[in-house]
Amino acid sequence: MGLVIDIPAIQANWKTLAARAGSARAGAVVKADAYGLGAARVAPALYQAGARDFFVALAAEGRAIRPLLAEDARIFVLSGHMEGEDLQGLVPLLNSPEQFFRDRALRPRGAFGIQLDTGMNRLGLEAGEWAAIRAEALAAGPQLVMSHLACADEPDHAANAAQLAAFRQMTDGIAVPRSLAATGGILLGRDYHFDLVRPGVGLYGGEPFIEARPVVTLSLPVVQIRDVRPGESVGYGYSWTATRPSRVATVAAGYADGLTRALMRDGKLRLWAGDRSCPVIGRISMDLITVDVTDMPDPPAALEILNARQGVDAVAACGGTIGYEVLTSLGRRYPRTYL
Ligand SMILES: *Cc1c(COP(=O)(O)O)cnc(C)c1O
């Protein structure tokens, strides 16, 4: 019952992706509370599996896991050195000349890395900025020089090769470990691997790592089951009306648990019991979802919305979004079990 998170599956996915990265070290991205699955549980498990390089978005996320990891684990902060931030024990990835000079002034011997922009125009130094501070930055001994791919989930997208070429041009010949690939980049092949890869979503069972072991099972308790006569309606707005004598189960989860109303967009969302499934009907409300179990005699006490048959990407597709968003939206109300 509730949200079951398969830690050995996360460890196995890390090992598979690490093997795909060949001789590059594999780090682990645990930002946004390890994509909603609980960084306090996930990060130590990935350390145990062999990861030593962790990536978070914000310094506060890094501070939260720092005491849980041994000293040889590095925690990189993707947002870099933001004003007023306590970065003790963390490695900011400096994104601008302003961040670089701030960091060097405030933490002259502090560990740091550099993030370069190679075309995504989101974070990182642009080529001209890098050229201007490069000598000084390299003299200060960065731990990592990295960039990020915008289109790695589309292997044929021209931006991949263009960003790779830009990264090479900005970093070839430097004696600092380099990193370009997240999950999608790992799957693009060796040219993209450099010295360190940064898988995130693939660890948690999401695309584009389609061979990932499923990580999340979410089963929702049935609160009650009722008979609904033809012509009767169900839920807010009476948006579903029975056309036959029906059995409708009401399960305990809703948009307050991250199961957004948009998941009803194409009417394809289903709940599962083993290999049987039934359609979700009506509107998703704050705490409740209704399911047409007419064709599922003896429905069990709980029905699954996420499992090996209907993973985070399948649910995401129902709502026109991506598995990342389904994961990071998973609610806090479910009882959580870690395998
Ligand atoms: C989120 C993120 C990652 C991980 O990406 P996935 O697609 O989840 O593997 C890696 N690097 C950076 C800079 C990121 O922002």
Side-chain angles (χ1 to χ4, degrees):
M1 200 80 89
L3 187 59
V4 179
I5 296 160
D6 187 344
I7 294 282
I10 297 175
Q11 292 172 314
N13 289 334
W14 182 82
K15 286 182 178 160
T16 307
L17 284 166
R20 286 290 190 90
S23 57
R25 277 165 80 96
V29 180
V30 294
K31 62 191 180 188
D33 202 23
Y35 291 49
L37 300 185
R41 303 299 287 262
V42 168
L46 287 168
Y47 182 93
Q48 194 190 19
R52 292 294 178 271
D53 305 289
F54 295 84
F55 291 83
V56 293
L58 301 174
E61 297 179 314
R63 288 195 295 273
I65 58 169
R66 185 66 271 183
L68 310 176
L69 298 173
E71 218 172 297
D72 66 339
R74 292 187 296 180
I75 302 173
F76 292 95
V77 178
L78 293 164
S79 57
H81 188 155
M82 302 217 280
E83 208 167 341
E85 205 60 87
D86 171 13
L87 290 158
Q88 207 186 336
L90 308 177
V91 187
L93 288 155
L94 306 175
N95 287 299
S96 61
E98 190 190 6
Q99 284 201 348
F100 175 74
F101 291 115
R102 173 186 300 142
D103 193 65
R104 293 301 83 197
L106 298 175
R107 315 163 58 245
R109 279 170 300 282
F112 72 102
I114 296 282
Q115 182 158 198
L116 301 175
D117 176 50
T118 51
M120 189 175 184
N121 283 305
R122 187 181 68 167
L123 277 182
L125 295 149
E126 300 198 7
E129 295 172 326
W130 173 231
I133 67 160
R134 177 184 160 123
E136 193 175 344
L138 293 177
Q143 306 225 333
L144 188 69
V145 172
M146 61 156 283
S147 187
H148 191 50
L149 297 167
C151 307
D153 57 338
E154 298 174 61
D156 299 326
H157 201 295
N160 295 320
Q163 286 196 263
L164 175 62
F167 190 58
R168 281 234 143 93
Q169 193 164 19
M170 290 164 88
T171 62
D172 269 354
I174 68 174
V176 177
R178 294 187 285 177
S179 175
L180 181 61
T183 303
I186 295 171
L187 304 175
L188 291 178
R190 326 182 29 162
D191 286 352
Y192 291 84
H193 295 162
F194 294 92
D195 303 298
L196 176 69
V197 296
R198 312 184 306 271
V201 75
L203 307 176
Y204 311 112
E207 290 178 5
F209 183 39
I210 50 174
E211 300 130 80
R213 251 171 75 178
V215 168
V216 180
T217 306
L218 175 54
S219 86
L220 310 175
V222 175
V223 182
Q224 66 174 153
I225 299 182
R226 73 184 62 249
D227 291 311
V228 176
R229 287 192 297 271
E232 287 190 315
S233 296
V234 172
Y236 284 119
Y238 272 21
S239 66
W240 184 88
T241 300
T243 55
R244 58 173 178 166
S246 301
R247 300 264 296 158
V248 172
T250 303
V251 302
Y255 60 76
D257 303 292
L259 301 171
T260 164
R261 294 164 86 248
L263 295 176
M264 293 308 291
R265 201 182 59 139
D266 63 2
K268 290 193 178 140
L269 185 63
R270 301 181 76 83
L271 296 190
W272 294 77
D275 55 5
R276 300 179 299 160
S277 71
C278 45
V280 178
I281 57 165
R283 287 197 191 149
I284 293 174
S285 44
M286 187 183 294
D287 317 296
L288 298 165
I289 290 175
T290 41
V291 198
D292 179 3
V293 294
T294 313
D295 298 324
M296 183 185 278
D298 312 316
L303 294 166
E304 289 174 358
I305 188 163
L306 288 169
N307 60 21
R309 292 179 177 82
Q310 179 172 276
V312 292
D313 293 288
V315 168
C318 293
T321 181
I322 54 175
Y324 297 74
E325 197 178 354
V326 169
L327 283 169
T328 55
S329 302
L330 288 170
R332 307 277 133 189
R333 274 200 297 194
Y334 308 120
R336 288 185 175 218
T337 308
Y338 289 89
L339 300 183

